Amino acid sequence: KPIIAFMHFTVNDNNYFRFKSLKEMDADLHLVSNSDASLWIHSDESPESMKEIMVELNQIDLKELSTKFTVIPSLKGLLNATFRYVPMENSFMVVADGGVDDLYYESGRIGELLLNATYMPMDNGTHQVDLHAFHDMSEVASLYLLYKGGRYESNINGEISIDKLPLNIVNAMIPGQMARLDGVLLGKFSIAGTDKKPVIDGSLQVDGGSVYVVPAASTYRFDNKPIKVTKNKVSLDKYGIYALKDNPLVIDGIIDATNTSRPTVDLKISATNLQLMDSKKSPGSLAYGRLFLNLNTTLNGSLQALRMRGNLHILGNTNLTYVMLDSPLEVEDSFNNLVTFSYFADTLPSRTRRPFNFARGTRNVAMASGTEMLMYINIDPVVRIRVDLDEEQSNFVELKGGRDLS
């Protein structure tokens, strides 16, 4: 008995697969497992020489697969797929349907998924592709594309439509369930140009979109205004992200993907009297209290080397507590080894560097994940920020404002 993906299959008697050309094939090969999973490759019973070839994959238990393959996350649902090859006199057509009944990812429901795809070569070397995606029996996205292959690059022309794609389908894949998205995504795009230099125009809109951040016990709402894309340039025209009141975090500027290998951004991010938090302590919360701030920053450069500059002002009505659920500090050991110093100088003689001269007044710039940041932080004198080193609040550090950081 053949073994595929740790499953034992039985094969039908008198199985066969005959191949003469891409237009003359016939088959009857049926594999069935003990769990009713099956793979069936067969042709229709037409007497014509050109017969349809079908590949059917049925009742594949994703839970069983994910338990046997440790690299696969925990999944639940039944996978079914059908692949049809239809030969024609001067061409052929390929139709594929695949779906998962009631898909669960790490115990979180994603829903019923279905994908339909059609491919057909046309005259003059042109190819047509149609894709349709469904979620819980409703179509949420589609792609229509024509492309014509060339010697060095292919010409493309098509459309992408997004219709009420629910954002909550990604909630199950957020690590630790740290956030929950809500709302739907709408959009329509046209694609032209070539495969190496595509030109995209259209718009994208988040309708009723929000995200609930569990550690902060706070909900943030997304602006309903469309985000326009013109010749690969994404225009964020004073796009707002709202917290508790009507003072939003405003993002204004351009994301330029004209050079697809090196997209750049030129954004201004600002907020005035933004109340970012107003929550009470709850089980599992990492922060609670009130947080008010003013923000005036710029973000520009390529995505591989962003530069962030600006000012952050934490306002006086801020009263915030941060909880260290897994504190690395041994507070009962007289803070032994709380601070250690390491010498990271290069010891290779050929690469000896000159020691840093602090007397020159050079500004220190923090580098993090390819982003160069220089922020001036002003904290009002009456700001209260507390860090609980355990959930019982028996050990804590309390910080007072009145200073500047950079």
XYZ file of all heavy atoms in Angstrom, residues 94-155:
485
model
N -7.655 25.215 -18.200
C -7.442 24.600 -16.892
C -8.367 25.286 -15.889
O -8.394 26.517 -15.795
C -5.976 24.729 -16.432
C -5.817 24.160 -15.031
C -5.045 24.022 -17.402
N -9.153 24.484 -15.175
C -10.071 25.002 -14.161
C -9.755 24.318 -12.843
O -9.654 23.083 -12.789
C -11.547 24.752 -14.548
C -12.477 25.310 -13.472
C -11.855 25.376 -15.905
N -9.605 25.115 -11.796
C -9.281 24.569 -10.474
C -10.226 25.159 -9.439
O -10.530 26.355 -9.460
C -7.837 24.862 -10.102
N -10.707 24.300 -8.556
C -11.536 24.712 -7.417
C -10.965 24.071 -6.167
O -10.696 22.863 -6.149
C -12.994 24.265 -7.608
C -13.666 24.965 -8.767
O -14.025 26.143 -8.628
O -13.828 24.320 -9.835
N -10.811 24.885 -5.129
C -10.321 24.353 -3.870
C -10.990 25.047 -2.707
O -11.341 26.234 -2.796
N -11.192 24.315 -1.635
C -11.840 24.922 -0.478
C -11.569 24.152 0.788
O -11.188 22.985 0.774
N -11.774 24.855 1.905
C -11.644 24.249 3.226
C -12.944 24.503 3.976
O -13.391 25.658 4.088
C -10.466 24.832 4.018
C -10.360 24.165 5.384
C -9.163 24.663 3.247
N -13.572 23.434 4.447
C -14.805 23.567 5.219
C -14.478 23.957 6.654
O -13.821 23.217 7.382
C -15.587 22.246 5.212
C -16.041 21.870 3.809
O -16.193 22.777 2.983
O -16.230 20.663 3.550
N -14.930 25.152 7.053
C -14.816 25.615 8.440
C -13.382 25.494 8.962
O -13.075 24.685 9.839
C -15.766 24.817 9.330
C -16.317 25.666 10.472
O -16.221 26.903 10.383
O -16.833 25.085 11.440
N -12.511 26.324 8.418
C -11.096 26.299 8.770
C -10.858 26.954 10.122
O -11.353 28.050 10.401
C -10.285 27.025 7.688
C -8.790 27.185 7.953
C -8.103 25.826 8.047
C -8.151 28.048 6.867
N -10.065 26.278 10.955
C -9.613 26.818 12.243
C -8.087 26.862 12.232
O -7.430 25.931 11.780
C -10.087 25.954 13.414
C -11.519 26.197 13.821
C -12.566 25.679 13.068
C -11.830 26.949 14.959
C -13.888 25.895 13.434
C -13.139 27.180 15.334
C -14.163 26.653 14.568
O -15.465 26.871 14.931
N -7.541 27.969 12.751
C -6.092 28.136 12.860
C -5.770 28.385 14.326
O -6.222 29.376 14.908
C -5.640 29.315 12.000
C -4.148 29.592 12.022
C -3.315 29.114 11.022
C -3.575 30.349 13.046
C -1.966 29.375 11.034
C -2.223 30.607 13.070
C -1.412 30.124 12.062
O -0.066 30.386 12.091
N -5.021 27.463 14.930
C -4.667 27.576 16.351
C -5.912 27.855 17.207
O -5.940 28.792 18.018
C -3.623 28.680 16.562
C -2.304 28.445 15.849
C -1.462 27.358 16.491
O -1.873 26.842 17.550
O -0.402 27.024 15.927
N -6.961 27.074 16.989
C -8.219 27.151 17.746
C -9.043 28.395 17.437
O -10.099 28.595 18.044
C -7.956 27.079 19.266
O -7.287 25.888 19.603
N -8.604 29.241 16.532
C -9.371 30.414 16.143
C -10.014 30.204 14.784
O -9.353 29.763 13.839
N -11.312 30.516 14.676
C -12.030 30.257 13.432
C -11.692 31.291 12.365
O -11.747 32.498 12.607
C -13.542 30.254 13.656
C -14.339 29.871 12.407
C -15.836 29.865 12.666
N -16.568 29.373 11.499
C -16.958 30.125 10.484
N -16.706 31.434 10.500
N -17.611 29.601 9.463
N -11.339 30.818 11.184
C -11.150 31.673 10.016
C -12.394 31.644 9.149
O -12.837 32.670 8.639
C -9.907 31.233 9.218
C -8.641 31.487 10.048
C -9.838 31.951 7.884
C -7.371 31.076 9.354
N -13.011 30.477 8.983
C -14.251 30.383 8.236
C -14.146 29.408 7.083
O -13.154 28.693 6.910
N -15.177 29.402 6.274
C -15.211 28.544 5.100
C -14.572 29.282 3.930
O -15.009 30.378 3.561
C -16.648 28.165 4.762
C -16.769 27.187 3.605
C -18.193 26.735 3.373
O -18.988 26.778 4.337
O -18.511 26.345 2.234
N -13.540 28.691 3.342
C -12.785 29.325 2.271
C -12.961 28.552 0.972
O -13.008 27.321 0.973
C -11.299 29.401 2.625
C -10.923 30.152 3.904
C -9.413 30.137 4.091
C -11.444 31.582 3.887
N -13.045 29.288 -0.137
C -13.176 28.670 -1.449
C -12.431 29.528 -2.459
O -12.515 30.758 -2.439
C -14.649 28.553 -1.852
C -14.945 27.975 -3.243
C -14.504 26.517 -3.304
C -16.419 28.100 -3.572
N -11.678 28.878 -3.334
C -10.933 29.561 -4.381
C -11.236 28.895 -5.717
O -11.166 27.674 -5.848
C -9.426 29.502 -4.104
C -8.523 30.204 -5.127
C -8.750 31.707 -5.109
C -7.048 29.893 -4.848
N -11.572 29.725 -6.705
C -11.837 29.244 -8.060
C -10.866 29.926 -9.010
O -10.695 31.149 -8.955
C -13.278 29.551 -8.473
C -13.530 29.278 -9.946
O -13.449 30.181 -10.765
N -13.810 28.042 -10.281
N -10.216 29.151 -9.877
C -9.230 29.699 -10.814
C -9.427 29.093 -12.187
O -9.726 27.895 -12.325
C -7.812 29.423 -10.316
N -9.261 29.934 -13.215
C -9.354 29.485 -14.604
C -8.187 30.057 -15.390
O -7.870 31.243 -15.251
C -10.678 29.945 -15.255
O -11.778 29.469 -14.480
C -10.803 29.422 -16.663
N -7.567 29.192 -16.193
C -6.447 29.620 -17.038
C -6.685 29.124 -18.459
O -7.056 27.964 -18.665
C -5.121 29.071 -16.519
C -3.986 29.180 -17.513
C -3.362 30.397 -17.761
C -3.566 28.059 -18.225
C -2.341 30.505 -18.691
C -2.542 28.144 -19.152
C -1.935 29.372 -19.378
O -0.931 29.475 -20.311
N -6.459 30.046 -19.427
C -6.657 29.632 -20.816
C -5.727 30.428 -21.732
O -5.739 31.663 -21.708
C -8.110 29.874 -21.243
C -8.408 29.394 -22.664
S -10.182 29.415 -23.055
C -10.526 31.173 -22.914
N -4.909 29.755 -22.523
C -4.119 30.448 -23.543
C -5.027 30.953 -24.659
O -6.001 30.294 -25.027
C -3.155 29.375 -24.053
C -3.237 28.247 -23.074
C -4.600 28.325 -22.471
N -4.694 32.127 -25.191
C -5.497 32.714 -26.260
C -4.618 32.969 -27.486
O -3.457 32.534 -27.529
C -6.149 34.013 -25.761
C -7.024 33.794 -24.520
S -7.707 35.313 -23.851
C -8.896 35.721 -25.138
N -5.180 33.684 -28.461
C -4.437 33.958 -29.684
C -3.274 34.907 -29.423
O -3.246 35.659 -28.453
C -5.376 34.567 -30.729
C -6.482 33.592 -31.136
O -6.241 32.375 -30.999
O -7.555 34.058 -31.551
N -2.308 34.882 -30.338
C -1.174 35.817 -30.330
C -0.343 35.735 -29.054
O 0.238 36.733 -28.619
C -1.648 37.264 -30.540
C -2.433 37.418 -31.831
O -2.073 36.834 -32.849
N -3.516 38.191 -31.782
N -0.302 34.562 -28.451
C 0.538 34.397 -27.268
C -0.009 35.024 -26.009
O 0.713 35.189 -25.020
N -1.276 35.417 -26.002
C -1.896 36.016 -24.820
C -2.473 34.927 -23.920
O -2.984 33.919 -24.393
C -3.012 36.995 -25.244
O -2.471 37.985 -26.110
C -3.615 37.684 -24.037
N -2.394 35.155 -22.629
C -2.907 34.207 -21.645
C -3.916 34.922 -20.746
O -3.725 36.073 -20.375
C -1.774 33.631 -20.794
C -0.681 32.995 -21.599
N -0.599 31.636 -21.790
C 0.360 33.540 -22.272
C 0.461 31.362 -22.536
N 1.062 32.504 -22.855
N -4.960 34.203 -20.376
C -6.004 34.779 -19.522
C -6.088 33.998 -18.218
O -6.112 32.774 -18.211
C -7.358 34.747 -20.231
C -8.512 35.269 -19.389
C -9.836 35.206 -20.124
O -9.875 35.367 -21.342
N -10.920 34.976 -19.400
N -6.148 34.762 -17.097
C -6.262 34.166 -15.763
C -7.426 34.829 -15.036
O -7.541 36.063 -15.021
C -4.965 34.340 -14.951
C -5.144 33.791 -13.545
C -3.796 33.650 -15.643
N -8.294 34.004 -14.459
C -9.408 34.493 -13.634
C -9.319 33.815 -12.270
O -9.216 32.578 -12.189
C -10.755 34.164 -14.268
C -11.108 35.097 -15.405
O -11.481 36.246 -15.135
O -10.992 34.663 -16.570
N -9.381 34.622 -11.204
C -9.386 34.089 -9.847
C -10.559 34.693 -9.086
O -10.838 35.898 -9.201
C -8.083 34.426 -9.114
C -6.794 33.748 -9.569
C -5.604 34.352 -8.840
C -6.857 32.255 -9.301
N -11.227 33.861 -8.287
C -12.321 34.331 -7.439
C -12.165 33.677 -6.065
O -12.010 32.457 -5.960
C -13.681 33.974 -8.041
C -13.928 34.604 -9.379
N -14.524 35.836 -9.518
C -13.636 34.175 -10.632
C -14.610 36.147 -10.802
N -14.071 35.157 -11.505
N -12.209 34.509 -5.016
C -12.052 34.019 -3.646
C -13.352 34.259 -2.881
O -13.972 35.330 -2.999
C -10.891 34.717 -2.949
N -13.750 33.257 -2.096
C -15.003 33.326 -1.335
C -14.707 33.059 0.140
O -13.827 32.264 0.481
C -16.009 32.293 -1.848
C -16.406 32.476 -3.287
C -15.585 31.996 -4.311
C -17.576 33.116 -3.618
C -15.942 32.145 -5.636
C -17.949 33.278 -4.943
C -17.134 32.798 -5.954
N -15.473 33.737 1.003
C -15.387 33.512 2.448
C -16.804 33.370 2.989
O -17.638 34.267 2.814
C -14.670 34.674 3.145
C -14.639 34.560 4.641
N -15.500 35.243 5.460
C -13.845 33.809 5.451
C -15.243 34.934 6.714
N -14.244 34.077 6.738
N -17.079 32.239 3.618
C -18.422 31.957 4.141
C -19.491 32.192 3.079
O -20.486 32.909 3.294
C -18.699 32.794 5.388
C -17.938 32.290 6.603
O -17.482 31.137 6.580
O -17.788 33.055 7.568
N -19.252 31.648 1.891
C -20.178 31.622 0.766
C -20.353 32.978 0.077
O -21.190 33.115 -0.823
C -21.561 31.098 1.205
C -21.527 29.731 1.866
S -20.757 28.459 0.817
C -21.955 28.360 -0.496
N -19.590 33.991 0.442
C -19.683 35.304 -0.208
C -18.365 35.600 -0.920
O -17.281 35.391 -0.348
C -19.970 36.404 0.817
O -21.222 36.196 1.438
N -18.450 36.111 -2.150
C -17.238 36.459 -2.890
C -16.619 37.712 -2.282
O -17.285 38.736 -2.123
C -17.548 36.689 -4.363
C -16.300 36.938 -5.197
C -16.570 36.984 -6.695
O -17.752 36.799 -7.088
O -15.617 37.172 -7.471
N -15.332 37.640 -1.970
C -14.662 38.757 -1.301
C -13.534 39.345 -2.133
O -13.074 40.454 -1.848
C -14.122 38.325 0.080
C -15.271 38.005 1.028
C -13.169 37.140 -0.046
N -13.068 38.644 -3.158
C -11.976 39.172 -3.973
C -11.963 38.469 -5.318
O -12.377 37.307 -5.430
C -10.626 38.999 -3.273
N -11.484 39.195 -6.343
C -11.379 38.602 -7.675
C -10.212 39.237 -8.415
O -9.810 40.374 -8.128
C -12.678 38.794 -8.464
O -12.939 40.168 -8.685
N -9.683 38.483 -9.365
C -8.577 38.945 -10.200
C -8.853 38.532 -11.634
O -9.172 37.368 -11.911
C -7.245 38.339 -9.731
C -6.055 38.449 -10.696
C -5.612 39.896 -10.847
C -4.893 37.579 -10.234
N -8.745 39.500 -12.551
C -8.819 39.218 -13.981
C -7.537 39.749 -14.604
O -7.194 40.923 -14.442
C -10.036 39.898 -14.611
C -10.069 39.801 -16.120
C -10.441 38.621 -16.752
C -9.695 40.886 -16.908
C -10.459 38.525 -18.139
C -9.719 40.802 -18.294
C -10.096 39.626 -18.905
O -10.101 39.531 -20.266
N -6.811 38.886 -15.309
C -5.501 39.280 -15.812
C -5.265 38.709 -17.201
O -5.538 37.529 -17.457
C -4.407 38.782 -14.863
C -2.964 39.175 -15.199
C -2.761 40.672 -15.057
C -1.981 38.416 -14.313
N -4.773 39.563 -18.094
C -4.281 39.157 -19.405
C -2.787 39.450 -19.461
O -2.361 40.549 -19.072
C -4.987 39.925 -20.525
C -6.476 39.652 -20.765
C -7.019 40.614 -21.804
C -6.703 38.213 -21.202
N -2.028 38.482 -19.883
C -0.603 38.746 -20.037
C -0.082 38.094 -21.316
O -0.568 37.049 -21.750
C 0.193 38.285 -18.808
C 0.350 36.793 -18.656
C 1.463 36.119 -19.158
C -0.607 36.047 -17.977
C 1.608 34.761 -19.009
C -0.470 34.680 -17.814
C 0.641 34.052 -18.338
O 0.784 32.696 -18.174
N 0.881 38.767 -21.895
C 1.476 38.290 -23.144
C 2.978 38.230 -22.954
O 3.627 39.248 -22.682
C 1.118 39.227 -24.306
C 1.630 38.755 -25.645
C 1.164 39.671 -26.769
C 1.652 39.162 -28.131
N 1.206 40.042 -29.244
N 3.525 37.049 -23.091
C 4.947 36.859 -22.860
C 5.800 37.477 -23.952
O 5.450 37.451 -25.130
N 6.912 38.051 -23.528
C 7.879 38.620 -24.451
C 9.242 38.015 -24.220
O 9.429 37.143 -23.356
N 10.213 38.499 -24.957
C 11.556 37.932 -24.846
C 12.180 38.261 -23.508
O 12.844 37.411 -22.899
C 12.422 38.467 -25.988
C 13.818 37.873 -26.015
C 14.595 38.316 -27.240
N 15.923 37.722 -27.274
C 16.826 37.970 -28.223
N 16.514 38.799 -29.234
N 18.016 37.384 -28.188
N 11.987 39.488 -23.035
C 12.611 39.905 -21.782
C 11.592 40.180 -20.680
O 11.907 40.083 -19.502
C 13.470 41.153 -22.000
C 14.600 40.932 -22.984
C 14.544 41.466 -24.265
C 15.704 40.167 -22.633
C 15.576 41.260 -25.174
C 16.745 39.945 -23.527
C 16.669 40.498 -24.808
O 17.688 40.276 -25.684
N 10.390 40.555 -21.050
C 9.363 40.816 -20.054
C 7.984 40.599 -20.680
O 7.839 40.551 -21.902
C 9.479 42.237 -19.491
C 9.453 43.331 -20.538
C 9.732 44.696 -19.952
O 10.116 44.768 -18.775
O 9.564 45.696 -20.671
N 6.965 40.448 -19.820
C 5.611 40.165 -20.274
C 4.715 41.372 -20.053
O 4.778 42.014 -18.999
C 5.043 38.956 -19.532
O 5.837 37.807 -19.751
N 3.877 41.664 -21.040
C 2.892 42.734 -20.888
C 1.702 42.208 -20.103
O 1.238 41.084 -20.329
C 2.430 43.228 -22.266
C 3.550 43.903 -23.046
O 4.339 44.651 -22.482
N 3.613 43.631 -24.331
